[in-house]
Amino acid sequence: MKRRTPEQRLLLEQLQHIAAGLGQTFGPFCEVVVHDLLDPRHAILAIHNNLSGRAVGDPATELGLARIHDPAVDPVIANYPNRFADGRQAKSTSIGIKDSTGRYIAALCMNVDLTLFQGFQAMLGQFTALPGAVPAAETLDPAGAEALRARIDQFAARLATTPRQLKAADRRALLQELRKAGLLDMRRAMETIAAHLGVSRASVYGYAK
């Protein structure tokens, strides 16, 4: 095993702290691995949320070997498709770490198990599907509420902001504009405006005075 410089030892030590923090943040669905590319035959220095069945001391991957042989390999290779040994689909990101000489000495790799998320996606797709039919069109939205919200969005867009970021003076101007357009006469107009602006109905009545 090649001797490491103080700089290389420090980089590897700090990288292990980063990996530990990422592992705790994104566990248990994300495996986080630190590869010591100075020792490719025993490259895995640390592994958190072990999803791949590998162990500390296992050899470098093909990507790790590519970085060892070619410093021009991209330092960040993100969100590429991968697969665990048991066939589970994964999304991987590999970040290469160089020392001051420009040589790759380590890599931080993250492997996300997509199986659970794909299950969630399938369940949500089934839950949000709308296969049913009714004899007459029905909506729970008050008549004209869509047009009212669109008018508010247009007003906010002219000020390069969003409805919820409008200032008090802007909200008063908005209510005056809506009044002139006759939009305050619609059923449940104040409730719709309040919900879209993220304020109370009482505040909307105050802006309308």
Side-chain angles (χ1 to χ4, degrees), residues 4-21:
R4 295 165 178 76
T5 66
E7 177 197 25
Q8 291 169 344
R9 287 198 300 270
L10 180 61
L11 286 171
L12 288 167
E13 179 183 332
Q14 295 303 310
L15 194 57
Q16 289 185 76
H17 293 321
I18 294 170

mmCIF file of all heavy atoms in Angstrom, residues 4-21:
data_model
loop_
_atom_site.group_PDB
_atom_site.id
_atom_site.type_symbol
_atom_site.label_atom_id
_atom_site.label_comp_id
_atom_site.label_asym_id
_atom_site.label_seq_id
_atom_site.Cartn_x
_atom_site.Cartn_y
_atom_site.Cartn_z
ATOM 1 N N ARG A 4 0.888 7.597 2.260
ATOM 2 C CA ARG A 4 0.097 8.786 1.972
ATOM 3 C C ARG A 4 0.772 10.027 2.543
ATOM 4 O O ARG A 4 1.376 9.973 3.619
ATOM 5 C CB ARG A 4 -1.307 8.641 2.565
ATOM 6 C CG ARG A 4 -2.125 7.517 1.923
ATOM 7 C CD ARG A 4 -3.339 7.175 2.771
ATOM 8 N NE ARG A 4 -4.143 6.148 2.131
ATOM 9 C CZ ARG A 4 -3.820 4.858 2.105
ATOM 10 N NH1 ARG A 4 -2.693 4.438 2.671
ATOM 11 N NH2 ARG A 4 -4.610 3.990 1.498
ATOM 12 N N THR A 5 0.611 11.111 1.827
ATOM 13 C CA THR A 5 1.134 12.380 2.324
ATOM 14 C C THR A 5 0.191 12.907 3.402
ATOM 15 O O THR A 5 -0.973 12.471 3.491
ATOM 16 C CB THR A 5 1.223 13.409 1.186
ATOM 17 O OG1 THR A 5 -0.109 13.724 0.739
ATOM 18 C CG2 THR A 5 2.040 12.862 0.023
ATOM 19 N N PRO A 6 0.646 13.859 4.217
ATOM 20 C CA PRO A 6 -0.264 14.451 5.211
ATOM 21 C C PRO A 6 -1.521 15.033 4.563
ATOM 22 O O PRO A 6 -2.620 14.925 5.115
ATOM 23 C CB PRO A 6 0.596 15.542 5.861
ATOM 24 C CG PRO A 6 2.000 15.035 5.722
ATOM 25 C CD PRO A 6 2.034 14.334 4.396
ATOM 26 N N GLU A 7 -1.362 15.642 3.395
ATOM 27 C CA GLU A 7 -2.528 16.204 2.701
ATOM 28 C C GLU A 7 -3.510 15.100 2.327
ATOM 29 O O GLU A 7 -4.725 15.241 2.528
ATOM 30 C CB GLU A 7 -2.078 16.933 1.434
ATOM 31 C CG GLU A 7 -3.252 17.477 0.616
ATOM 32 C CD GLU A 7 -2.870 17.817 -0.814
ATOM 33 O OE1 GLU A 7 -1.905 17.227 -1.327
ATOM 34 O OE2 GLU A 7 -3.557 18.657 -1.412
ATOM 35 N N GLN A 8 -3.020 14.015 1.791
ATOM 36 C CA GLN A 8 -3.895 12.908 1.382
ATOM 37 C C GLN A 8 -4.596 12.288 2.580
ATOM 38 O O GLN A 8 -5.791 11.973 2.513
ATOM 39 C CB GLN A 8 -3.074 11.868 0.627
ATOM 40 C CG GLN A 8 -2.592 12.340 -0.730
ATOM 41 C CD GLN A 8 -1.573 11.416 -1.360
ATOM 42 O OE1 GLN A 8 -0.979 10.555 -0.672
ATOM 43 N NE2 GLN A 8 -1.350 11.550 -2.658
ATOM 44 N N ARG A 9 -3.872 12.137 3.684
ATOM 45 C CA ARG A 9 -4.502 11.585 4.894
ATOM 46 C C ARG A 9 -5.615 12.499 5.380
ATOM 47 O O ARG A 9 -6.683 12.039 5.791
ATOM 48 C CB ARG A 9 -3.453 11.385 5.984
ATOM 49 C CG ARG A 9 -2.497 10.217 5.740
ATOM 50 C CD ARG A 9 -1.786 9.802 7.020
ATOM 51 N NE ARG A 9 -0.987 10.885 7.581
ATOM 52 C CZ ARG A 9 0.294 11.117 7.279
ATOM 53 N NH1 ARG A 9 0.904 10.339 6.394
ATOM 54 N NH2 ARG A 9 0.962 12.114 7.841
ATOM 55 N N LEU A 10 -5.382 13.812 5.329
ATOM 56 C CA LEU A 10 -6.389 14.766 5.774
ATOM 57 C C LEU A 10 -7.619 14.710 4.881
ATOM 58 O O LEU A 10 -8.757 14.723 5.364
ATOM 59 C CB LEU A 10 -5.805 16.180 5.786
ATOM 60 C CG LEU A 10 -6.759 17.302 6.233
ATOM 61 C CD1 LEU A 10 -7.222 17.061 7.664
ATOM 62 C CD2 LEU A 10 -6.082 18.665 6.112
ATOM 63 N N LEU A 11 -7.420 14.656 3.578
ATOM 64 C CA LEU A 11 -8.541 14.585 2.650
ATOM 65 C C LEU A 11 -9.374 13.328 2.893
ATOM 66 O O LEU A 11 -10.610 13.385 2.921
ATOM 67 C CB LEU A 11 -8.034 14.610 1.208
ATOM 68 C CG LEU A 11 -7.524 15.959 0.686
ATOM 69 C CD1 LEU A 11 -6.850 15.786 -0.671
ATOM 70 C CD2 LEU A 11 -8.660 16.969 0.587
ATOM 71 N N LEU A 12 -8.713 12.205 3.088
ATOM 72 C CA LEU A 12 -9.433 10.956 3.335
ATOM 73 C C LEU A 12 -10.192 11.008 4.656
ATOM 74 O O LEU A 12 -11.323 10.526 4.758
ATOM 75 C CB LEU A 12 -8.460 9.778 3.332
ATOM 76 C CG LEU A 12 -7.903 9.389 1.953
ATOM 77 C CD1 LEU A 12 -6.727 8.427 2.104
ATOM 78 C CD2 LEU A 12 -8.991 8.755 1.100
ATOM 79 N N GLU A 13 -9.581 11.622 5.645
ATOM 80 C CA GLU A 13 -10.241 11.735 6.951
ATOM 81 C C GLU A 13 -11.484 12.612 6.868
ATOM 82 O O GLU A 13 -12.556 12.254 7.377
ATOM 83 C CB GLU A 13 -9.260 12.311 7.968
ATOM 84 C CG GLU A 13 -9.840 12.498 9.362
ATOM 85 C CD GLU A 13 -8.846 13.144 10.308
ATOM 86 O OE1 GLU A 13 -7.624 12.971 10.105
ATOM 87 O OE2 GLU A 13 -9.300 13.833 11.241
ATOM 88 N N GLN A 14 -11.363 13.767 6.196
ATOM 89 C CA GLN A 14 -12.502 14.665 6.064
ATOM 90 C C GLN A 14 -13.602 14.037 5.218
ATOM 91 O O GLN A 14 -14.796 14.208 5.497
ATOM 92 C CB GLN A 14 -12.047 15.992 5.439
ATOM 93 C CG GLN A 14 -11.081 16.788 6.298
ATOM 94 C CD GLN A 14 -11.653 17.090 7.675
ATOM 95 O OE1 GLN A 14 -12.775 17.573 7.803
ATOM 96 N NE2 GLN A 14 -10.885 16.804 8.708
ATOM 97 N N LEU A 15 -13.207 13.286 4.204
ATOM 98 C CA LEU A 15 -14.190 12.632 3.340
ATOM 99 C C LEU A 15 -15.009 11.607 4.119
ATOM 100 O O LEU A 15 -16.209 11.446 3.883
ATOM 101 C CB LEU A 15 -13.471 11.967 2.170
ATOM 102 C CG LEU A 15 -14.338 11.517 0.995
ATOM 103 C CD1 LEU A 15 -15.129 12.684 0.424
ATOM 104 C CD2 LEU A 15 -13.479 10.888 -0.091
ATOM 105 N N GLN A 16 -14.386 10.949 5.060
ATOM 106 C CA GLN A 16 -15.127 9.981 5.873
ATOM 107 C C GLN A 16 -16.157 10.678 6.754
ATOM 108 O O GLN A 16 -17.253 10.146 6.972
ATOM 109 C CB GLN A 16 -14.152 9.172 6.725
ATOM 110 C CG GLN A 16 -13.312 8.201 5.912
ATOM 111 C CD GLN A 16 -12.441 7.321 6.786
ATOM 112 O OE1 GLN A 16 -12.898 6.370 7.418
ATOM 113 N NE2 GLN A 16 -11.157 7.648 6.833
ATOM 114 N N HIS A 17 -15.849 11.861 7.241
ATOM 115 C CA HIS A 17 -16.831 12.624 8.028
ATOM 116 C C HIS A 17 -18.021 13.021 7.149
ATOM 117 O O HIS A 17 -19.178 12.927 7.569
ATOM 118 C CB HIS A 17 -16.181 13.884 8.612
ATOM 119 C CG HIS A 17 -15.137 13.608 9.635
ATOM 120 N ND1 HIS A 17 -15.252 12.613 10.568
ATOM 121 C CD2 HIS A 17 -13.931 14.217 9.879
ATOM 122 C CE1 HIS A 17 -14.179 12.603 11.354
ATOM 123 N NE2 HIS A 17 -13.373 13.563 10.946
ATOM 124 N N ILE A 18 -17.724 13.464 5.924
ATOM 125 C CA ILE A 18 -18.796 13.855 4.995
ATOM 126 C C ILE A 18 -19.688 12.653 4.696
ATOM 127 O O ILE A 18 -20.921 12.749 4.699
ATOM 128 C CB ILE A 18 -18.196 14.420 3.700
ATOM 129 C CG1 ILE A 18 -17.468 15.734 3.997
ATOM 130 C CG2 ILE A 18 -19.282 14.632 2.639
ATOM 131 C CD1 ILE A 18 -16.642 16.258 2.832
ATOM 132 N N ALA A 19 -19.061 11.511 4.453
ATOM 133 C CA ALA A 19 -19.834 10.300 4.143
ATOM 134 C C ALA A 19 -20.728 9.900 5.311
ATOM 135 O O ALA A 19 -21.878 9.498 5.120
ATOM 136 C CB ALA A 19 -18.882 9.163 3.795
ATOM 137 N N ALA A 20 -20.209 10.011 6.524
ATOM 138 C CA ALA A 20 -21.003 9.654 7.700
ATOM 139 C C ALA A 20 -22.225 10.565 7.814
ATOM 140 O O ALA A 20 -23.332 10.106 8.103
ATOM 141 C CB ALA A 20 -20.146 9.747 8.964
ATOM 142 N N GLY A 21 -22.038 11.866 7.556
ATOM 143 C CA GLY A 21 -23.161 12.798 7.623
ATOM 144 C C GLY A 21 -24.190 12.535 6.546
ATOM 145 O O GLY A 21 -25.400 12.559 6.814
#
